[in-house]
Amino acid sequence: MGFRYLIGIDEAGRGPLAGPLCVGACLVHAETKRRALAALRGVRDCKQLTPEKRLLWLLRIKHEAKQGTLLFTSSFVAPSVIDSSGMAYALRHAIHRCLKRLPAAPERALIKLDGGLRAPACYPFQETIVDGDEREPLIAAASIVAKVRRDRYMVRLARRFPQYDFEIHKGYGTKRHFEALRKYGVSEVHRR
């Protein structure tokens, strides 16, 4: 079947103790697929890149979006929603919002998701790929979008909650973060 759209999806922030979940999605049209994949040649999973290299890749992704080669979006889910409805719901909700923002008819799109993720059932053509962020350029690009946007958000939160050092560990469970939790307790942006 000839798909008109190819979409890669990944998340950042599933495991932290604080801050939101962020899902990123990148879309290419069939007409621009070759050009987009050439522009993304060499892209890697965000966890394998330094913050500086992630930023360079995001700038390249933004440049390609301005050129009309691809589209990208992201969606945040607050810690309070994760606490009240669970991580599975948060992931489904963020993926659904990302897909609604992209101009792709569900029956004409092939969606590739990093391992464990699923798109809504109204998207009949989807593939969950273990280590997809290492094997599929669009998933890797989506992982960079999600990671950079979430990290930037955590840096902004660090200004409101300087005692937790969010700008350093981005809400993950580091020794430094656990020490701050013991000293200051949980904040409104921590997950319960």
Side-chain angles (χ1 to χ4, degrees):
M1 169 176 258
F3 295 104
R4 183 158 175 74
Y5 312 99
L6 178 61
I7 301 171
I9 296 177
D10 200 3
E11 57 78 24
R14 193 185 308 200
L17 307 175
L21 169 74
C22 185
V23 168
C26 291
L27 173 147
V28 296
H29 293 272
E31 303 86 48
T32 61
K33 179 181 172 186
R34 182 171 288 149
R35 195 169 78 206
L37 294 180
L40 294 174
R41 188 171 293 121
V43 69
R44 313 261 321 213
D45 166 25
C46 69
K47 294 180 291 296
Q48 297 178 14
L49 301 171
T50 64
E52 296 77 21
K53 288 189 178 180
R54 284 193 293 264
L55 183 57
L56 289 173
W57 273 108
L58 183 63
L59 292 173
R60 183 181 294 184
I61 291 165
K62 286 181 175 182
H63 172 77
E64 293 303 321
K66 285 181 184 171
Q67 300 300 312
T69 307
L70 59 79
L71 297 172
F72 69 94
T73 190
S74 62
S75 179
F76 286 95
V77 179
S80 60
V81 175
I82 296 168
D83 288 344
S84 65
S85 300
M87 184 58 73
Y89 170 83
L91 285 164
R92 285 192 312 271
H93 184 60
I95 291 168
H96 177 75
R97 282 197 307 206
C98 281
L99 289 169
K100 293 293 270 183
R101 293 176 185 157
L102 295 172
E107 65 280 357
R108 302 293 309 278
L110 173 60
I111 302 174
K112 295 189 176 192
L113 304 105
D114 192 39
L117 301 179
R118 296 280 304 157
C122 63
Y123 290 86
F125 307 105
Q126 54 183 287
E127 182 181 358
T128 298
I129 303 168
V130 175
D131 297 325
D133 48 7
E134 296 175 17
R135 298 169 49 197
E136 290 288 335
L138 273 182
I139 296 176
S143 80
I144 290 167
V145 168
K147 177 72 172 148
V148 173
R149 290 203 161 162
R150 185 183 185 281
D151 284 357
R152 286 178 173 171
Y153 185 85
M154 295 306 295
V155 169
R156 288 193 304 273
L157 278 182
R159 294 183 203 125
R160 285 181 48 211
F161 304 95
Q163 67 273 31
Y164 295 104
D165 299 318
F166 290 143
E167 74 281 5
I168 296 169
H169 53 68
K170 311 303 187 277
Y172 285 86
T174 64
K175 180 180 177 186
R176 188 175 193 155
H177 193 180
F178 280 114
E179 288 170 358
L181 283 169
R182 278 191 290 278
K183 186 171 181 180
Y184 302 108
V186 296
S187 72
E188 65 190 65
V189 297
H190 280 89
R191 301 174 189 176
R192 303 308 194 270

